Amino acid sequence: MKPADTLSDFSAFQSLLDRPIEDKLRDFQREQRLKHLICAAQLKPDLLKRLSHLADMIRRMARERESNLELRQLLSHKRAMLYFTQPSTRTFLSFMAACQILGITCNEVRDPKTSSEIKRESHMDSIRMFSSYFDVIIMRSPIANFAECCAYMMNRLESQEMRSVPTINAGSGSDEHPTQALLDFYTIQRSFSFDSEQKETGSRLDALRQSYPDLQRGPAGKTYLFCGDIGRGRTVRSLATVLSQYDSQRMIFVSPDHDALKMDDGLRTRLQDAGVSVYEFESLDAELNGESILSQTDCLYMTRIQREHNSADDTEQLARIDLGPFQLTPERVQRLKSFSPIMHPFPRDSVVQELPTEIDSDPRVMYFRQARNGMWVRAALLVHLLDASEELFMAYNRFYRD
Ligand code: NCD
């Protein structure tokens, strides 16, 4: 009998997996739009602009009863499968809410023990079955490359003129989380849009920004500080990749000096090749050119230590690491620029407290807003992937003429 690992035997796709990232991108793309969303490298500036625009339209239409009803008609003929075999609260619920906003019916598998995988059905067979019943598969899995292999399988089916549906990677192993990068980017873009029209944030943040007259509009020309589990934080990897496409970026990475937690060589090289100035430190109190790194930060991105990826050795070694230098204490918050957004993909660790609740009412705090933005951008992504952008524009124009 073959070992239980045959459930996730991806050897049929190995030669496709081994290619450099840029060679893979065309496999996830149609002429004018995405075919699947698998990795953050697909989120090019032009696409980010289009998706942000769709998200803005959806959030506006969702406000009023009449336009909201119209939205709920937009994709009411579609069904989505939420296949989440790794714990998730925000990503799962925001995708579900996004489906509800657009009238998409959704179903879920969260515990593989309740599926035929318990009868040794392979993961790939499960996915192919979902594609018989559903029009899009949204998946989170602890298994690296699983979403990517599903996209290749769908492409093969399409080339054989069989039924094939878009695949969305909602988190794969410790490698990628492109839809989190999408919502993080959307939040950063709104924070630096200098748009007082944004009722919830505009006036408060605009007032704070007055002391930084040189701050540039948009995501370019900024110093981003990422803190926590840089090695295994898939949200960091995906967001840094997206931000590296914009000019004159400085990125500071703060993590414990441990092989699993610090930045891997692959990410460092990719960012440097994209023209980013990369700095690495082992404490939030570190200095760069004689000045505190916190006081030079335009945007702070905190993360938790991702214990679920620990090997037996890691658990023992990590228990000895002092996590104090990676906690955003109120005293450290004071050192940040008065306009610097404070982000975190959540969940935060209530034991380690890398982000203490005392700072939650600070006007720079973005993490709850980030989560809500996730719902709008995920709805935008579904509209794009299911080819309903034109219909959304038409519906929007029936309500607003600006
Ligand atoms: C992240 C994830 O699952 O990768 N959370 C999220 O999707 N909002 C980060 C984390 O779990 O720490």
Side-chain angles (χ1 to χ4, degrees), residues 81-85 109 117 123 127 130 138-140 146:
M81 165 47 80
L82 294 166
Y83 179 62
F84 274 59
T85 56
V109 169
E117 285 177 17
H123 294 313
I127 297 289
F130 298 152
I138 305 161
M139 56 187 291
R140 166 173 288 200
F146 184 17

Side-chain angles (χ1 to χ4, degrees), residues 86-92 140 170-171 173 176-177 180 183 232-235 301 303-306 308-309 344-348 354 378:
Q86 193 187 31
S88 173
T89 305
R90 275 146 292 271
T91 309
F92 178 81
R140 166 173 288 200
E176 280 270 11
H177 196 347
Q180 180 73 37
L183 76 91
R232 304 175 301 183
R234 55 193 177 190
T235 65
Y301 195 89
T303 63
R304 75 183 167 90
I305 303 297
Q306 312 252 319
E308 65 274 29
H309 300 299
H344 191 305
F346 263 41
R348 58 181 155 191
E354 74 276 8
R378 287 179 170 126

Side-chain angles (χ1 to χ4, degrees), residues 251-266:
M251 293 190 194
I252 302 174
F253 295 90
V254 176
S255 68
D257 182 20
H258 181 281
D259 281 347
L261 305 185
K262 58 186 189 191
M263 179 154 56
D264 62 82
D265 296 343

Side-chain angles (χ1 to χ4, degrees), residues 95 105 127 164 178 191 246-247 258 323-325 370 376 382 390 396:
F95 262 118
T105 312
I127 297 289
S164 158
S191 302
Y246 296 84
D247 289 342
H258 181 281
L323 294 177
Q370 261 172 281
W376 307 124
L382 287 164
E390 278 310 310
Y396 184 86

Side-chain angles (χ1 to χ4, degrees), residues 373-391:
N373 284 342
M375 181 171 75
W376 307 124
V377 293
R378 287 179 170 126
L381 176 66
L382 287 164
V383 166
H384 172 87
L385 276 170
L386 296 171
D387 201 14
S389 306
E390 278 310 310
E391 276 156 88

Side-chain angles (χ1 to χ4, degrees), residues 122-337:
S122 75
H123 294 313
M124 296 315 263
D125 269 358
S126 295
I127 297 289
R128 182 154 176 197
M129 285 303 148
F130 298 152
S131 73
S132 307
Y133 306 131
F134 298 97
D135 301 296
V136 54
I137 297 171
I138 305 161
M139 56 187 291
R140 166 173 288 200
S141 164
I143 307 167
N145 301 328
F146 184 17
E148 187 175 338
C149 289
C150 291
Y152 296 140
M153 177 173 71
M154 292 299 158
N155 288 356
R156 264 185 206 173
L157 291 171
E158 187 180 53
S159 69
Q160 293 158 5
E161 293 181 13
M162 286 193 258
R163 187 174 157 78
S164 158
V165 302
T167 307
I168 300 176
N169 176 4
S172 61
S174 59
D175 49 296
E176 280 270 11
H177 196 347
T179 65
Q180 180 73 37
L182 188 56
L183 76 91
D184 289 338
F185 177 83
Y186 183 66
T187 305
I188 290 170
Q189 197 184 39
R190 286 177 71 83
S191 302
F192 293 117
S193 70
F194 302 0
D195 183 359
S196 304
E197 303 284 294
Q198 284 178 38
K199 304 275 181 306
E200 339 128 53
T201 58
S203 47
R204 227 158 41 134
L205 287 177
D206 278 356
L208 293 170
R209 205 181 45 244
Q210 300 309 319
S211 32
Y212 300 96
D214 295 337
L215 196 69
Q216 211 180 310
R217 186 188 284 256
K222 303 279 177 308
T223 298
Y224 295 92
L225 195 164
F226 296 90
C227 175
D229 196 338
I230 305 301
R232 304 175 301 183
R234 55 193 177 190
T235 65
V236 171
R237 198 189 325 281
S238 292
L239 178 60
T241 302
V242 166
L243 290 171
S244 70
Q245 303 175 100
Y246 296 84
D247 289 342
S248 321
Q249 305 288 37
R250 291 203 307 171
M251 293 190 194
I252 302 174
F253 295 90
V254 176
S255 68
D257 182 20
H258 181 281
D259 281 347
L261 305 185
K262 58 186 189 191
M263 179 154 56
D264 62 82
D265 296 343
L267 178 61
R268 186 186 306 105
T269 310
R270 274 210 313 279
L271 295 176
Q272 285 170 338
D273 287 351
V276 178
S277 308
V278 176
Y279 306 90
E280 288 163 78
F281 295 100
E282 288 156 31
S283 167
L284 282 172
D285 297 328
E287 295 192 346
L288 176 61
N289 303 327
E291 204 194 318
S292 147
I293 51 172
L294 283 170
S295 64
Q296 302 181 47
T297 297
D298 294 310
C299 179
L300 174 63
Y301 195 89
M302 297 293 296
T303 63
R304 75 183 167 90
I305 303 297
Q306 312 252 319
R307 287 164 204 281
E308 65 274 29
H309 300 299
N310 280 1
S311 66
D313 282 355
D314 288 343
T315 306
E316 216 177 277
Q317 289 168 12
L318 296 188
R320 288 198 288 271
I321 294 177
D322 171 18
L323 294 177
F326 313 98
Q327 278 171 317
L328 189 64
T329 57
E331 188 277 322
R332 287 181 175 132
V333 169
Q334 288 210 337
R335 267 183 268 159
L336 276 174
K337 290 185 182 177

